[in-house]
Amino acid sequence: MNVDQIILNLEKKHPGEKEYLQAVKEVLESIEETYNENLQFKTAGIIERLVEPDRIFTFKVPWTDDEGNTHVNLGYRIQFNNAIGPYKGGLRFHPSVNLSILKFLGFEQIFKNSLTTLPMGGSKGGSDFNPKAKSKLEIMRFCQSFMLELWHNIGAETDIPAGDIGVGGQEIGFLYGMYKKLARKHTGVLTGKGLNWGGSLVRPEATGFGNVYFAKEMLQTIGESFKDKTVAVSGFGNVAWGATTKATELGAKVVTLSGPDGYVYDPDGISGEKIDYMLELRATNNDIVEPYVQEFKSAKFIPGKHPWEVDVDIALPCATQNELDADDATQLVNNNVICVCEGANMPTTPEAIEIFQKNKILFAPGKAANAGGVATSGLEMSQNSMKMNWTRKEVDDKLHQIMKDIHHACKIHGTQKDGYIDYVKGANIAGFLKVANAMLDQGIV
Ligand code: NDP
Ligand code: 2IT
């Protein structure tokens, strides 16, 4: 395999899809050696078949606002690969959504889902709809219109969507209500459902909890723990909330949160009622984090900046892609950060990853370190199939074990000669091998 040539060809075929090409390049670079060692992969065209989605659905989503005006957004579902299980992945509602972003997320999801040890293929979807400042009824009408198109192409055994940026419990409820009405079936077709109608305990906090469980394993490899460490978290959404909660529970002090407007620095630590307030802040449908400093006087707001300039031991980027660049990485390294563990999908730029790895900082990619969310979605699917509910402890224990297993897989495939664990390589190789071998077994399809 010649990675540069493949990327060049893909660039010609899909010009301008920079996030997608970035994600593909990272995976191909990691697996190149493993791939070349197995001639069967080449003969079966595994790479050529993996980098293109099985199919893409694009559709128009018309909806009316509270004043009666009509709006049209674009809707997408990208079914990438179902070699190891039905397509599975979230829906993102954010004005920045485009094909490149959803293709990068869908591609990453294949390897992430493979790492969870559960039988799930990879997909992603969403819309350029902006849920900010919309009324509940506007969001409901949008979700209903979105599902009116999507429902033909999803199902509990074919493709199971869930949440992502801008899609939380409320949106999953509206989407599910419409699916149920159209399909006349009450099945586990979506995950992240409400507890009263098929949801799983721990799913809301699972991505953040899993992220911290993973970081805990990383820290253990150097004889460290979360106890008494300072932590910078970015974002103030679902993942940031779960990560802040669990890191605090393990004895760390989380000192930052961030939004598109800047970041909040709270040297007293973001714990207890402050974590609850984060949820309130998100629920206001407002996209700024600044109001935190009016509520809690210990904090200050730093406009237009990322939290990576703060002197911390651990960094958990939990907002969005490419939010931590080379300058941020240099700053963190200069401040002697020991561990950077991605809660978001691809928040660290390739140049920043290189800086962390050169400096032998513990660094884990999202496809391993944020897999707790989709893993718990997998556990929700199992409970739906069995028509049973596990207790909070049962789900949390399973999640914890899955994160330990993912860490172990990364260690097996990523440990370098000097003992440093290259988690990027480890995650990509472990995730790839399972999918590639399944594809080999199933012939050219
Ligand atoms: P939320 O919508 O709950 O929160 C997203 C956070 O990121 C918000 O603080 C949001 O601010 C901020 N954000 C979004 N887009 C941008 C942007 N372009 N620039 C700056 N900030 C931005 O989403 P989640 O917490 O669910 O998702 C966060 C990350 O975690 C994403 O990368 C997602 O793909 C990933 N992830 C989520 C999982 C889940 O189960 N929910 C599972 C695994 C990964 P605002 O909305 O105000 O712009
Ligand atoms: O990026 C992700 O893994 C998610 N948004 C969660 C997907 C899911 O199906 O639970």
Side-chain angles (χ1 to χ4, degrees), residues 25 47 154 249 292 328 360 407 410 421 429:
K25 189 161 188 238
I47 290 301
I154 60 174
E249 205 180 297
Y292 181 101
D328 298 323
K360 307 284 173 198
H407 183 271
C410 291
I421 305 173
I429 294 176

Side-chain angles (χ1 to χ4, degrees), residues 14 31 52 76 121 145 205 224 251 262 269 276 278 290 393 400 431:
H14 308 291
I31 63 164
E52 293 291 349
Y76 307 86
S145 179
E205 46 276 73
E224 283 289 359
D276 299 338
M278 203 192 313
E290 189 177 4
K393 181 170 184 326
H400 202 155

Side-chain angles (χ1 to χ4, degrees), residues 92-94 96 104-105 109 112 124 132 163-167 203-204 206-207 234-241 258-261 282 286-288 306 317-321 323 343-347 366 370-374 377:
R92 176 176 291 192
F93 293 169
H94 195 274
S96 64
F104 118 65
L105 289 163
Q109 201 80 42
K112 183 194 304 195
K124 199 83 189 188
K132 293 287 149 54
D164 192 80
I165 290 179
V167 178
R203 178 61 188 91
T207 311
S234 63
F236 64 111
N238 172 269
V239 180
W241 163 70
S258 74
D261 52 332
R282 289 293 292 156
N286 187 335
D287 72 350
I288 52 174
H306 290 149
C318 295
T320 192
Q321 63 274 356
E323 54 156 320
N345 285 308
M346 208 169 75
N370 72 32
V374 72
S377 280

